[in-house]
Structures are given as C-alpha cells and as structure tokens.
C-alpha cells in the first residue's frame, strides 16, 4: 500500500531567481498537487484505501507506516551496501551468494514479497536491469524507481538495443565487453554491483559510497571519481 | 522456500531450453518477445507460487520451479546491432519451458 507508482513530474524546476513585481515577469503558477479533477487511478486508489480502512483490513497508521518504510529505502542505502562489498571481501562473498542474508546483516530487511539477487559487473560483462512487463525493482533497498525506469521507451528499447540506450546514459561499453540485459520478469529483483573504480585505493567506505549512484546499481551508469571531484 | 508442494525440477543449468509459444493472456510473466525462443538455463532460482493463478486469487500451487534463462541477443533479434556475444537473461517458470536438446 504505497503511492510509489504515482509520479507527479510537472517539470517546474525553477533555477532562476524570482523577482515578482513590476518587472513584467509572469508565468503560470505551479499546479497544486491536488488541483483539478482526479484521474481514474486516483479515484480508484482513494476508493480502495477508504474501503480497506472502513472494513478494518488496514488502518491509516499502518498505511502511513508502510509509506515511511518505503521512504527510508533510498539509493544511499544501496550505495552503503556496494561500498561495503568493495571494502570487505567476506561481505561481498555473502552478498553474491545470499543477498537477503547479507542485507539483513546490515539491518536491511527486504520483506517477503520478492527475492533479491546481486549481479556483478566485471571487466568482461556489463549488466543492466529492466522489467519489460511492468516496473519490478529492488524497492526494499533502493526505494521507488525513477520515472524513466517505468517508461515504455526504456523498457522496450533497452532489450532491443542496450548499447544505444547505455550510450544515451553516457555509458560506452567497449565491443569486447559483453552487455547482459536482465529482464526481471518474475519473483527476483536485481541489484547491480558495479566495479570499484581504479584510483580509489585506501578510500573509506563512506567516501566510496559517495561514488555509487542509483543508476550505477541499475547498470545505466559507471561510478566515476572524476565526476565526484568535479562536483566538489 | 516454503515446504509447500513444488513441481519437480525438470531442467538443469547448462541445458538448452525452448520457451513455449503459447498465446497466454492475463497476468503472465513470460514476455511475448521470448516466446518461441531458445536459450540455456543459467541457474535455478528456486520455486515460487504460480503468478498466473495467484493473480486470480488462487493459491498458485504447486509452486513452479523458476529458471534464469540466458538468450543470445542475436537469437532474439535477427538484426541485433551489437556484438554477437551480448546476452539477455530472464526468469521463466518451468511450465513455459521444454527441452530443446
């Protein structure tokens, strides 16, 4: 019972300063989240939620608690897992063999709805994850998926021409490296373990984690210390 | 895994399998683009309740063995633009597979 398939991307990012008053600068106000008629899905969600509460199946507290749980799962949590795998060979071995158990060792409970597998990028194989049927994603670790992960364009194109899609993300996979697409069609959710970048010897787990982006754990990015340095 | 009834595991890793070309509709986890295609069992992923029955409020038993099947991209798309060594993997339930060897 979450609202995670409910994206409101209104493209109203305003980077410029606002000086309203007298300069003739006008623009439409940002649309309120709940302005206008509800969509059919919003009506459906509200109706079912109200019925479940009225009939005592769920309480509002339980729904809020589940939303809080989902909000506590973020790419930063996944980055900690990756950094630990880079730093601790025994943990990495367990993560590869028993992802659920390794995450539990870090205090991360992935629940019972799906199993997790970790797939490791190597010098020979670059992995990328998709769900062509819907939007299966390791939510109990990484939180809600990005909107593009659920888009028809990504879901259909990454299986047909993954190298072109990866290139659009800025990932150039050399000809000699296999691209392996993982279509998470069933009960398993996939976490990509990226390769530890060269030049990061001696880095602390926290500093390593700062390199690991959400997309790196989907397979659509490569951790890059140069980008981190440029951002500082 | 649970101790519920499970179908016997018919395939082993390394075995060549064929995805049955069956016009199933409804809540089905076998993508259309893989039906009729041939791949190799990469690993056995355990056994899970059958989603095609679970989706319609049935118990989904016996549980179905789930396989990770590895396909050559050139098997899926005759005009695949990348190297012939690229692969795609998907999780396919046993009831959708038959031996191709």
């Amino acid at each position: 019972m979450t609202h995670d398939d409910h994206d409101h991307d209104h493209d109203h990012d305003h980077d410029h300063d606002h000086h309203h008053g007298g300069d003739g600068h006008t623009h439409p106000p940002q649309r309120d989240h709940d302005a206008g008629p509800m969509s059919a899905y919003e009506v459906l969600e509200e109706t079912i939620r109200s019925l479940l509460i009225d009939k005592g199946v769920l309480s509002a507290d339980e729904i809020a608690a589940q939303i809080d749980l989902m909000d506590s799962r973020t790419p930063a949590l996944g980055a900690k897992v990756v950094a630990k795998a880079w730093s601790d060979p025994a943990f990495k071995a367990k993560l590869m063999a028993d992802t659920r158990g390794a995450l539990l060792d870090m205090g991360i409970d992935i629940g019972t709805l799906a199993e997790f597998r970790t797939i490791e990028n190597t010098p020979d194989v670059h992995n990328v994850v998709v769900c062509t049927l819907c939007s299966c994603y390791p939510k109990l670790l990484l939180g809600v998926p990005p909107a593009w992960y659920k888009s028809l364009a990504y879901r259909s194109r990454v299986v047909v021409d993954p190298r072109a899609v990866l290139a659009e993300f800025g990932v150039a996979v050399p000809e000699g490296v296999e691209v392996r697409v993982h279509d998470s069609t069933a009960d398993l959710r996939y976490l990509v373990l990226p390769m530890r970048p060269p030049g990061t010897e001696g880095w602390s787990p926290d500093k390593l984690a700062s390199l690991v982006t959400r997309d790196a754990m989907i397979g659509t990015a490569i951790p890059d210390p140069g980008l981190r340095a440029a951002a500082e | 895994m649970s101790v519920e009834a499970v179908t016997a595991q018919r395939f082993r890793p390394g075995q060549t399998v064929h995805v049955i070309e069956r016009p199933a509709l409804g809540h089905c986890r076998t993508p259309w683009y893989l039906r009729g295609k041939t791949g190799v069992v990469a690993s056995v992923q355990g056994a899970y309740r059958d989603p095609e029955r679970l989706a319609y409020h049935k118990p989904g038993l016996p549980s179905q063995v789930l396989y990770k099947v590895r396909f050559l991209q050139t098997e899926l798309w005759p005009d695949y633009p990348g190297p012939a060594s690229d692969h795609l993997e998907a999780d396919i339930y046993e009831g959708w597979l038959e031996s191709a060897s």
Side-chain angles (χ1 to χ4, degrees):
Chain A
M1 179 56 71
T2 66
H3 297 174
D4 55 17
D5 285 326
H6 212 97
D7 293 307
H8 295 274
D9 294 330
H10 295 306
D11 293 316
H12 287 293
D13 294 320
H14 289 235
D15 292 321
H16 57 280
D17 292 323
H18 276 72
H19 299 289
H20 288 159
D23 64 353
H25 172 94
T26 60
H27 62 80
Q30 179 164 329
R31 184 177 180 274
D32 285 330
H33 174 82
D34 54 352
M38 294 169 80
S39 74
Y41 288 116
E42 287 172 318
V43 173
L44 181 67
E45 186 275 328
E46 184 164 313
T47 304
I48 291 175
R49 174 161 43 88
S50 302
L51 280 169
L52 288 170
I53 292 171
D54 288 349
K55 290 178 180 296
V57 179
L58 288 172
S59 68
D61 279 352
E62 286 173 312
I63 294 171
Q66 187 66 29
I67 292 170
D68 286 343
L69 171 70
M70 279 311 307
D71 278 351
S72 75
R73 305 302 165 93
T74 66
L77 197 57
K80 277 188 190 173
V81 173
V82 170
K84 188 170 171 62
W86 284 346
S87 311
D88 178 347
F91 176 78
K92 181 188 164 184
K94 179 157 185 182
L95 185 70
M96 298 305 301
D98 173 16
T99 301
R100 168 183 293 278
L103 294 176
L104 205 55
D105 289 348
M106 290 184 70
I108 304 165
D109 181 354
I110 59 168
T112 55
L113 285 178
E115 277 309 319
F116 276 35
R117 294 281 189 274
T118 306
I119 43 181
E120 183 183 14
N121 284 346
T122 70
D124 300 318
V125 180
H126 179 84
N127 297 285
V128 60
V129 180
V130 63
C131 172
T132 58
L133 295 173
C134 45
S135 58
C136 295
Y137 187 78
K139 284 181 188 171
L140 271 295
L141 178 63
L142 302 183
V144 297
W148 59 258
Y149 185 84
K150 300 183 273 186
S151 70
L152 184 61
Y154 177 75
R155 288 161 46 223
S156 49
R157 291 182 61 224
V158 80
V159 292
V160 177
D161 192 0
R163 286 172 184 268
V165 173
L166 289 171
E168 290 168 21
F169 277 96
V171 176
V173 182
E175 286 276 311
V177 176
E178 176 192 335
V179 168
R180 194 176 294 170
V181 179
H182 299 262
D183 191 354
S184 45
T185 46
D187 292 80
L188 301 166
R189 304 292 174 265
Y190 292 99
L191 170 72
V192 172
L193 176 61
M195 284 191 288
R196 179 171 176 165
T200 58
E201 295 76 16
W203 285 29
S204 69
D206 280 352
K207 192 172 177 188
L208 286 171
S210 72
L211 297 176
V212 184
T213 61
R214 175 195 66 200
D215 289 9
M217 294 177 279
I218 300 174
T220 54
I222 305 281
D224 184 347
L227 283 178
R228 182 182 187 276
E232 279 176 348
Chain B
M1 293 309 100
S2 67
V3 292
E4 295 166 338
V6 176
T7 56
Q9 181 189 322
R10 288 173 54 210
F11 307 108
R12 61 185 189 283
Q15 192 168 351
T16 303
V17 290
H18 189 72
V19 182
I20 296 170
E21 194 154 16
R22 182 192 292 154
L25 297 172
H27 187 83
C28 170
R29 305 304 302 181
T30 305
W32 283 93
Y33 75 93
L34 295 177
R35 298 183 196 179
K37 305 297 184 184
T38 299
V40 172
V41 173
S43 58
V44 181
Q45 303 279 36
Y48 301 87
R49 291 183 176 220
D50 183 359
E52 291 175 49
R53 295 186 177 84
L54 272 181
Y56 302 98
H57 307 287
K58 307 287 191 225
L61 294 172
S63 290
Q64 293 258 320
V65 178
L66 183 66
Y67 298 88
K68 182 147 219 199
V69 182
R70 183 175 297 167
F71 302 89
L72 276 170
Q73 285 281 26
T74 51
E75 154 77 6
L76 304 180
W77 323 106
D79 53 354
Y80 181 71
S85 55
D86 284 357
H87 287 87
L88 179 139
E89 295 186 353
D91 296 315
I92 308 288
Y93 292 95
E94 184 163 272
W96 279 88
L97 297 175
E98 58 190 12
S99 179
S101 46

